[in-house]
């Protein structure tokens, strides 16, 4: 997309949404409207590098609020929607699934209906060019054994309340395309990591706990496998799919980076031993805690389709991306302090006291 367009990003104050917005403002001529409710996971500090741009606008709106979402469409007249707003943490979905049903399912439905009404009222090029891009996860495919990869044809078998709510949202998006002709594309991505990642997720939690001399909680035996992708590579993939993805298609996005959780934790400890030798060896903090209920064993994405059709490939290796990530957390104390106060701390205290932390 060369001429200036208006992209409506939901969940833009979150980890991946903020990376997408920073790229749009820094690397493209487009205008971005960020719709975010600012839950515990939403942080406007993550947008500080771009928020003074005249091409950036913020709307503090809950995607479940149909009237407000309709107003945003009316006022901003977007050319595309990138839908990232969600409750995103598997452990929280186990202790409190209600918010996941509400935001991920009801919220996606509300947004789809608003987009459909708006799109129906468009004409000409604006109508033909409109896109609804739904951002989803590889967790909808369930869990792999020792072999094989998730492809776009893999059957849905979600196992957690989080992945079931994301699978539901994928199905709604698919139905709005088939039934109403809404021009949609969907992407399913593997585990992201990188700067501005909320420290309830494995990688930032381990970095910050290790820096503070706290235990590094490893669920079960630490042999579960995740397939890691650097967040800026994901954001670039999303922009590629939005621009050139075929309507109604799904694209899997992944980094070909399978690691056991223990390998990830050991790699973080090794980088910290080098960058903060006063705490070495950080691996002494590893602590085995009871497993996550229903813990998926292995995720691995076959990212062949997006590479073949759209020419996207990750730029970072796990080694380069992880080092950048650790360096970022060491250099960004202010951001970390901003997200580790208040509600998050209360949640950690209430939910982890039984997990021998
Ligand atoms: P995140 O939790 O960091 O951010 C979610 C954002 O959505 C927050 O800013 C939050 O305030 C906002 N939000 C939540 N409920 C809302 C509501 N009702 N209305 C408006 N805004 C609301 O999540 P993330 O890691 O950036 O993930 C973004 C998307 O990508 C999600 O849809 C997630 O399922 C998907 N995804 C994430 C990963 C990953 O590894 N993080 C991998 C694949 C897919
Ligand atoms: O303290 C921990 N100890 C631990 O062993 C945490 C937080 C996690 N783990 C394990 C569980 C997983 O096997 O590490 C792995 C990664 O855990 P998370 O960071 O919670 O990610 P995951 O459950 O794999 O889900 C993530 O990837 C897919 C995102 O949170 C989702 O939003 C995304 O869809």
């Amino acid at each position: 997309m060369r001429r200036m367009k208006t992209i409506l990003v939901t969940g833009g104050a979150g980890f991946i949404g903020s990376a997408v917005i920073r790229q749009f403002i820094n690397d493209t001529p487009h205008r971005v409207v960020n719709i975010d409710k600012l839950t515990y996971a939403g942080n406007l500090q993550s947008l500080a590098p771009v928020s003074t741009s005249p091409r950036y606008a913020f709307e503090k709106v809950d995607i479940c609020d149909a009237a407000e979402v309709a107003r945003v469409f009316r006022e901003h007249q977007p050319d595309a929607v990138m839908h990232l707003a969600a409750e995103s943490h598997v452990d929280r979905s186990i202790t409190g699934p209600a918010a996941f049903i509400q935001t991920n399912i009801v919220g996606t439905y509300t947004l789809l209906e608003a987009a459909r009404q708006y799109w129906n009222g468009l004409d000409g090029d604006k109508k033909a060019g409109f896109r609804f891009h739904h951002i989803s996860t590889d967790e909808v495919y369930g869990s792999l054994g020792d072999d094989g990869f998730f492809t776009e044809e893999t059957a849905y078998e979600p196992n957690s309340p989080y992945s079931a709510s994301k699978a539901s949202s994928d199905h709604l998006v698919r139905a709005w395309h088939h039934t109403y002709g809404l021009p949609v594309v969907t992407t399913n991505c593997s585990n992201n990591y990188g700067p501005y990642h909320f420290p309830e997720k494995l990688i930032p939690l381990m970095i910050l706990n290790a820096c503070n001399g706290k235990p590094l909680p490893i669920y079960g035996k630490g042999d579960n496998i995740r397939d890691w992708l650097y967040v800026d590579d994901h954001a670039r993939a999303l922009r590629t799919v939005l621009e050139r993805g075929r309507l109604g298609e799904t694209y899997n996005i992944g980094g070909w980076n399978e690691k056991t959780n223990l390998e990830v934790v050991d790699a973080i400890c090794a980088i910290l031993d080098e960058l903060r030798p006063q705490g070495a060896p950080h691996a002494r903090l590893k602590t085995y805690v009871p497993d996550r209920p229903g813990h998926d064993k292995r995720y691995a994405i076959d990212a062949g389709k997006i590479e073949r059709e759209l020419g996207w490939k990750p730029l970072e290796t796990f080694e380069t991306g992880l080092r950048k990530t650790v360096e970022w957390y060491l250099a960004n104390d202010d951001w970390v302090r901003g997200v580790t106060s208040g509600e998050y701390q209360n949640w950690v205290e209430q939910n982890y006291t039984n997990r021998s932390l």
Side-chain angles (χ1 to χ4, degrees):
M1 284 183 229
R2 292 282 173 262
R3 74 172 178 82
M4 181 162 93
K5 301 224 170 177
T6 299
I7 319 291
L8 199 160
V9 175
T10 73
F15 168 48
I16 301 171
S18 68
V20 169
I21 293 179
R22 290 190 302 272
Q23 274 190 15
F24 268 122
I25 299 296
N26 288 329
D27 303 344
T28 80
H30 303 316
R31 194 171 160 258
V32 176
V33 180
N34 174 16
I35 293 196
D36 201 296
K37 179 184 172 182
L38 299 183
T39 67
Y40 79 95
N43 182 1
L44 291 178
Q45 252 184 297
S46 306
L47 293 155
V50 295
S51 59
T52 55
S53 165
R55 290 183 288 115
Y56 170 77
F58 175 59
E59 294 278 4
K60 185 173 184 307
V61 166
D62 183 336
I63 56 163
C64 302
D65 182 339
E68 271 292 272
V69 173
R71 175 189 62 77
V72 171
F73 273 92
R74 229 176 16 252
E75 284 183 12
H76 293 280
Q77 299 286 308
D79 297 285
V81 175
M82 294 178 86
H83 175 34
L84 295 103
E87 287 293 334
S88 69
H89 191 41
V90 174
D91 290 331
R92 283 177 189 256
S93 83
I94 296 167
T95 53
F100 290 72
I101 306 303
Q102 188 61 22
T103 286
N104 299 0
I105 305 178
V106 178
T108 299
Y109 156 73
T110 306
L111 192 68
L112 281 167
E113 274 299 78
R116 182 166 78 88
Q117 300 297 340
Y118 166 76
W119 174 70
N120 276 334
L122 298 176
D123 47 32
D125 286 351
K126 185 105 175 169
K127 183 164 194 174
F130 184 77
R131 295 286 179 274
F132 185 103
H133 180 171
H134 178 57
I135 284 80
S136 192
T137 170
D138 60 355
E139 301 195 16
V140 299
Y141 299 124
S143 183
L144 291 165
D146 291 341
D147 308 312
F149 293 90
F150 296 134
T151 72
E152 289 78 1
E153 278 72 49
T154 303
Y156 274 37
E157 281 182 2
N159 291 321
S160 71
Y162 164 69
S163 54
S165 68
K166 290 297 290 186
S168 309
S169 69
D170 294 10
H171 291 320
L172 290 173
V173 170
R174 178 187 159 86
W176 259 243
H177 175 65
H178 281 266
T179 304
Y180 305 112
L182 189 70
V184 310
V185 282
T186 295
T187 49
N188 295 83
C189 188
S190 63
N191 285 60
N192 282 218
Y193 70 102
Y196 303 99
H197 201 183
F198 195 82
E200 63 187 352
K201 309 281 171 35
L202 179 73
I203 288 183
L205 182 76
M206 295 296 159
I207 296 171
L208 296 180
N209 277 13
C211 287
N212 293 316
K214 291 187 181 166
L216 308 179
I218 293 162
Y219 298 170
K221 294 198 217 121
D223 57 355
N224 299 68
I225 291 173
R226 297 293 182 264
D227 182 358
W228 294 96
L229 180 67
Y230 192 67
V231 66
D232 290 341
D233 277 328
H234 185 199
R236 227 172 12 86
L238 295 178
R239 284 170 41 220
T240 305
V241 171
L242 180 71
E243 212 170 296
R244 292 188 281 116
R246 285 187 290 134
L247 285 187
E249 290 286 317
T250 287
Y251 295 88
N252 282 352
I253 306 172
W256 306 99
N257 271 319
E258 285 184 61
K259 304 279 176 207
T260 65
N261 293 336
L262 267 182
E263 285 172 330
V264 172
V265 175
D266 284 335
I268 291 168
C269 289
I271 297 172
L272 283 173
D273 286 350
E274 186 192 322
L275 300 180
R276 286 176 69 111
Q278 64 273 32
H282 293 86
R284 78 192 142 80
L285 298 168
K286 286 193 291 189
T287 307
Y288 291 88
V289 299
D291 210 351
R292 173 185 280 175
H295 198 173
D296 283 339
K297 184 71 205 243
R298 172 173 170 254
Y299 303 145
I301 282 273
D302 177 342
K305 177 174 171 181
I306 185 171
E307 183 177 341
R308 275 191 312 277
E309 286 193 15
L310 307 178
W312 173 87
K313 270 203 245 183
L315 297 177
E316 299 290 344
T317 65
F318 188 66
E319 288 65 32
T320 59
L322 192 64
R323 181 168 286 269
K324 277 190 188 177
T325 305
V326 174
E327 286 170 351
W328 187 88
Y329 278 92
L330 294 182
N332 284 277
D333 250 8
D334 280 0
W335 185 91
V336 170
R337 264 199 304 278
V339 300
T340 49
S341 57
E343 202 203 327
Y344 168 65
Q345 275 310 331
N346 295 337
W347 185 85
V348 171
E349 272 156 32
Q350 281 160 18
N351 287 278
Y352 280 97
T353 38
N354 296 334
R355 271 205 156 136
S356 36
L357 276 188

